[in-house]
């Protein structure tokens, strides 16, 4: 069975875009692959964080992983900082990285642009990400287009390490989701839905209550034509809403176009709001149950134990290959 690794930062709200583009697909992947799902809290501190808020977000994200359907019997769920091998292997990967290639990373350019001072960790984020993946001998890494450059660097670093030392590291393949990889902003459907959008109406959060969901969908940008039809280029707003409906409502685009033939956007948006509310309810119910129980900590303890065993073995091989430490007689 092939291995998949994926990590999400506990940086706040999980949106519908995160759910459709990642979490929902993880639930399906756990039945076909050996999956490691990591809450990458060490990546989160590359930018300033409030400690209390970060700790709350870590636990919240862990609860959402389970609430959406991740089964700890099938997949390993753990927190990055609870597996020391990540930071240790991250340093080893820094030692085979070049400053020039790190400075060329698009995310580093974007996050450092116009700032007088940035954390060194923002530059060395990609080698740590590479370590996250390589420690588990991952064959596949499901990512969005915005992380594809980092995955290409991970492959380069793994190949460089293997060539310079020994053939230890598995070269991972990028897995770009085919459907729902890009759910767009409700207020600007030419941009990807983002939890960091200052406009709260631009995204649907998994923990939004029914009134918030209804309000956000009803205020979603469409067009003046009033025809429910999928046309991504000319009608990006309604096309984005159709994409959401077809994924959460289990109907095809053609079925939806037929259902709303001769009807306006008001009817369509009202029905879509109900579809989203009904899809979110079981997730929210399970989430709040987990947040009040000891079950979540038991799952994370077990996940950290399982992850530590695998990651420590790979780390030891890497250290031996590089000549670190003592060799016992």
């Amino acid at each position: 069975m092939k291995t998949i690794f994926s990590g999400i930062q506990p940086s706040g709200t999980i949106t519908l875009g995160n759910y459709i583009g990642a979490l929902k697909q993880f639930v399906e992947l756990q039945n076909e692959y050996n999956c490691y799902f990591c809450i990458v809290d060490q990546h989160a501190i590359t930018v300033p964080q409030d400690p209390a808020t970060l700790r709350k977000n870590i636990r919240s994200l862990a609860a959402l992983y389970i609430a959406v359907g991740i089964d700890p019997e099938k997949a390993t769920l753990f927190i990055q900082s609870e597996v020391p091998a990540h930071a240790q292997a991250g340093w080893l990967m820094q030692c085979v990285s070049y400053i020039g290639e790190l400075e060329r990373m698009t995310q580093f350019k974007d996050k450092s642009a116009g700032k007088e001072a940035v954390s060194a960790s923002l530059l060395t984020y990609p080698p740590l990400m590479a370590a996250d993946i390589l420690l588990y001998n991952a064959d596949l890494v499901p990512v969005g287009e915005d992380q594809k450059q980092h995955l290409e660097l991970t492959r380069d670093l793994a190949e460089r390490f293997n060539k310079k030392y020994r053939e230890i590291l598995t070269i991972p393949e990028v897995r770009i989701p085919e459907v729902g990889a890009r759910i767009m902003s409700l207020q600007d459907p030419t941009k990807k839905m983002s939890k960091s959008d200052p406009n709260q109406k631009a995204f649907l959060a998994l923990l939004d209550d029914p009134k918030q969901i209804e309000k956000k969908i009803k205020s979603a940008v469409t067009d003046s034509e009033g025809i429910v039809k999928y046309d991504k280029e000319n009608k990006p707003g309604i096309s984005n809403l159709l994409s959401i409906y077809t994924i959460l409502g289990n109907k095809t685009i053609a079925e939806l176009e037929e259902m709303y033939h001769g009807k306006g956007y008001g009817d369509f948006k009202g029905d879509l709001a109900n579809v989203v509310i009904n899809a979110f309810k079981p997730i929210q119910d399970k989430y709040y149950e987990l947040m009040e129980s000891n079950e979540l900590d038991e799952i994370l303890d077990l996940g950290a134990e399982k992850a530590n065993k695998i990651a420590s073995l790979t780390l030891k091989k890497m250290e031996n290959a590089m000549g670190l430490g003592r060799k016992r007689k």
Side-chain angles (χ1 to χ4, degrees):
M1 184 182 288
K2 288 189 173 182
T3 296
I4 276 185
F5 176 92
S6 184
I8 296 180
Q9 284 194 40
S11 52
T13 307
I14 295 297
T15 69
L16 174 65
N18 300 134
Y19 173 59
I20 291 175
L23 294 174
K24 188 173 186 290
Q25 302 198 30
F26 292 170
V27 176
E28 298 161 7
L29 292 172
Q30 70 182 343
N31 297 314
E32 304 171 38
Y33 298 93
N34 176 31
C35 292
Y36 290 90
F37 298 127
C38 181
I39 296 159
V40 288
D41 54 342
Q42 289 171 328
H43 286 296
I45 59 172
T46 58
V47 295
Q49 299 282 349
D50 174 70
T53 301
L54 176 60
R55 190 159 285 123
K56 180 183 176 183
N57 287 342
I58 290 168
R59 187 175 179 82
S60 178
L61 178 55
L64 278 173
Y65 261 109
I66 304 301
V68 300
I70 295 299
D71 183 350
E73 295 292 325
K74 296 178 180 178
T76 303
L77 175 66
F78 65 101
I79 298 168
Q80 182 187 31
S81 63
E82 294 182 359
V83 181
H86 283 257
Q88 293 169 280
W91 173 252
L92 303 187
M93 298 315 296
Q94 282 186 52
C95 293
V96 295
S97 303
Y98 305 139
I99 289 177
E101 62 191 350
L102 299 182
E103 289 176 334
R104 287 194 294 273
M105 293 292 106
T106 303
Q107 287 204 12
F108 172 72
K109 290 179 180 178
D110 291 345
K111 290 183 178 181
S112 62
K115 295 182 180 177
E116 289 185 14
V118 294
S119 166
S121 62
L122 200 59
L123 180 66
T124 58
Y125 172 111
L128 178 58
M129 180 175 170
D132 297 336
I133 296 160
L134 299 171
L135 282 170
Y136 300 94
N137 306 305
D139 300 290
L140 297 167
V141 184
V143 294
E145 288 287 347
D146 58 337
Q147 288 291 337
K148 191 175 179 181
Q149 187 187 32
H150 283 167
L151 259 294
E152 289 169 351
L153 179 64
T154 295
R155 287 172 53 85
D156 290 343
L157 294 180
E159 288 171 351
R160 190 178 301 158
F161 183 97
N162 286 346
K163 186 176 180 181
K164 189 171 183 179
Y165 300 105
R166 280 207 317 269
E167 291 283 335
I168 290 172
L169 304 175
T170 301
I171 312 300
E173 296 289 336
V174 178
R175 186 183 190 276
I176 304 290
E178 293 179 9
V179 179
R182 288 182 70 84
I183 297 299
M184 313 307 282
S185 163
L186 298 180
Q187 293 299 308
D188 183 354
T190 63
K191 295 180 179 178
K192 187 177 178 180
M193 183 179 286
S194 172
K195 57 189 174 185
S196 60
D197 197 311
N199 186 347
Q200 296 292 302
K201 291 183 179 181
F203 61 83
L204 288 165
L206 273 188
L207 298 178
D208 278 346
D209 64 41
K211 286 185 178 179
Q212 289 174 310
I213 292 168
E214 186 176 15
K215 188 175 181 180
K216 287 181 180 182
I217 289 176
K218 285 187 175 180
S219 66
V221 170
T222 49
D223 55 69
S224 58
E225 193 176 36
I227 298 173
V228 179
K229 180 182 177 182
Y230 190 89
D231 183 345
K232 195 173 180 180
E233 186 174 339
N234 298 308
K235 295 165 70 70
I238 196 68
S239 297
N240 185 43
L241 297 181
L242 278 164
S243 293
I244 294 170
Y245 200 136
T246 191
I247 293 167
L248 297 183
N250 296 315
K251 292 187 181 295
T252 66
I253 295 291
E255 286 173 336
L256 292 173
E257 289 177 340
E258 179 63 28
M259 278 175 60
Y260 294 97
H261 180 72
K263 296 182 180 180
Y265 290 158
D267 289 337
F268 174 79
K269 286 182 174 181
D271 290 347
L272 174 58
N274 287 329
V275 166
V276 175
I277 290 166
N278 291 333
F280 281 11
K281 188 178 188 306
I283 295 171
Q284 293 177 357
D285 290 346
K286 180 64 176 175
Y287 169 85
Y288 290 114
E289 177 190 321
L290 285 164
M291 291 294 283
E292 297 300 323
S293 74
N294 294 325
E295 182 186 356
L296 184 59
D297 289 309
E298 292 168 3
I299 289 169
L300 291 171
D301 287 345
L302 181 62
E305 184 181 337
K306 290 167 67 177
N308 262 304
K309 286 180 181 177
I310 301 298
S312 295
L313 283 173
T314 306
L315 175 65
K316 194 63 183 175
K317 289 178 183 177
M318 293 171 70
E319 289 176 334
N320 286 339
M322 297 178 82
L324 296 175
R326 290 175 291 162
K327 193 167 185 178
R328 303 284 182 176
K329 292 184 179 179

